[in-house]
């Protein structure tokens, strides 16, 4: 216990200094990236497990850093949230996805629903332009259910700042809602019935050991049964093997997303793989 006490002191080591410096550089670069549009939206298909067809797509941001190359969103989204840059970035992703969906409808005659990750910070921000999203969809003449917003469990526990009002406004406008990373947050199941949620996404940490860990299979089955009884469809994330797909299908899971089907890809690749008509 004495050792623990001593170790609790964190001295400012050179490596921490480096870390702090790296963070500052990243913040500076991120501001520049927003101005200079160094981002790109990738699309990952979400597959209907009953017929193995593409059901919809998730938009996932990519940052092409001029020197560092591709920077993972896992690295820069938290910084974007801390600095408030997530507001501009989030609106940009939304516009790209909405315009892409409209372009695909023009070109292929299909309206593919696109899921967009929305950070809790965006919901809490005063200047969150959720009304603008609805207006933009109208401008593009997109069905409002052409867009789905992915939120995480923590948001539902946050009664403040009009979160539930905003979710209701989405609902009224026909925008669908997915509960992302289900099972990893501090969820209260009561919120599942309080909010009208369309899709529940089983986190990849449950999907990962589906073949080897019977407990994970049991959890997945229970989540699927519960979600269905509450009127939600279920998407399993991180599906990487055929066996996982089979176990999920047998358990009644509606949709799957993962490397087994496809990694997130640039729009042109998504088109070529999933949207080209047979004549082309
Ligand atoms: P997420 O929303 O849970 O997205 C799923 C992540 O799992 C993506 O990582 C995706 O590439 C990855 N993935 C998909 N299939 C598989 C698989 O079979 N195996 C494994 N190991 N991974 C798989 P990505 O694109 O690196 O994004 C990481 C996180 O960054 C996202 O997690 C999301 O929380 C955040 N993010 C990405 N784009 C945006 C955005 O536009 N806005 C916001 N607010 N957050 C974003
Ligand atoms: Ca997501
Ligand atoms: Ca997720
Ligand atoms: Ca519902």
């Amino acid at each position: 216990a004495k050792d623990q006490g001593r170790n609790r002191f964190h001295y400012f080591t050179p490596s921490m200094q480096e870390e702090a410096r790296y963070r500052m550089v990243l913040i500076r670069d991120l501001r520049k990236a927003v101005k200079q549009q160094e981002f790109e939206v990738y699309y990952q298909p979400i597959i209907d497990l009953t017929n193995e067809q593409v059901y919809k797509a998730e938009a996932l941001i990519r940052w092409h850093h001029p020197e560092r190359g591709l920077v993972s969103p896992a690295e820069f989204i938290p910084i974007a949230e801390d600095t408030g840059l997530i507001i501009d970035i989030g609106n940009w992703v939304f516009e790209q996805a909405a315009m892409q969906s409209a372009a695909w409808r023009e070109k292929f005659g299909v309206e593919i629903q696109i899921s967009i990750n929305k950070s809790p910070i965006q919901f809490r921000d005063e200047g969150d332009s959720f009304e603008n999203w609805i207006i933009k969809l109208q401008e593009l003449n997109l069905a409002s259910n052409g867009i789905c917003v992915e939120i995480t469990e923590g948001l539902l526990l946050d009664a403040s700042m009009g979160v539930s009002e905003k979710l209701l406004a989405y609902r009224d406008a026909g925008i669908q809602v997915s509960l992302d990373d289900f099972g990893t947050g501090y969820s209260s199941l009561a919120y599942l019935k309080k909010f009208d949620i369309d899709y529940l996404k089983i986190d990849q940490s449950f999907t990962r050991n589906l073949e080897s860990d019977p407990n994970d299979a049991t959890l997945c089955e229970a989540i699927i049964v519960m979600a269905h009884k509450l009127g939600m469809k279920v998407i399993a994330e991180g599906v990487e093997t055929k066996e996982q797909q089979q176990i999920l299908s047998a358990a009644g899971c509606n949709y799957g997303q993962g490397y087994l089907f496809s990694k997130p890809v640039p729009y042109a690749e998504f088109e070529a793989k999933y949207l080209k008509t047979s004549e082309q």
Side-chain angles (χ1 to χ4, degrees), residues 7 37 54 72 77 91 99 144 152 157 159 210 227 230 238 244:
N7 286 337
Q37 310 242 326
V54 177
S72 161
I77 291 290
N91 287 332
M99 288 187 316
S144 49
T152 45
L157 294 167
L210 222 39
L230 290 170
Q244 290 165 353

Side-chain angles (χ1 to χ4, degrees), residues 178-271:
S178 273
L179 192 53
D180 206 354
D181 304 340
F182 185 77
T184 61
Y186 297 94
S187 48
S188 154
L189 294 180
Y191 286 90
L192 289 183
K193 66 164 204 224
K194 184 171 164 206
F195 294 100
D196 198 359
I197 293 161
D198 301 285
Y199 302 95
L200 189 152
K201 298 187 82 171
I202 300 180
D203 189 70
Q204 52 194 51
S205 58
F206 296 103
T207 315
R208 193 172 300 136
N209 304 314
L210 222 39
E211 301 117 302
S212 55
D213 190 339
N215 285 339
D216 279 344
T218 304
L219 274 177
C220 281
E221 279 170 34
I223 292 170
I224 292 163
V225 169
M226 178 194 65
H228 285 166
K229 292 217 162 154
L230 290 170
M232 294 179 268
K233 301 277 194 224
V234 182
I235 302 168
E237 301 193 86
V239 182
E240 293 185 352
T241 70
K242 205 73 198 164
E243 286 95 324
Q244 290 165 353
Q245 183 191 342
Q246 273 151 3
I247 294 169
L248 288 161
S249 276
C253 185
N254 306 91
Y255 311 105
Q257 178 179 2
Y259 297 167
L260 172 65
F261 308 111
S262 170
K263 292 195 168 186
V265 293
Y267 81 90
E269 210 174 314
F270 189 91
E271 265 183 28

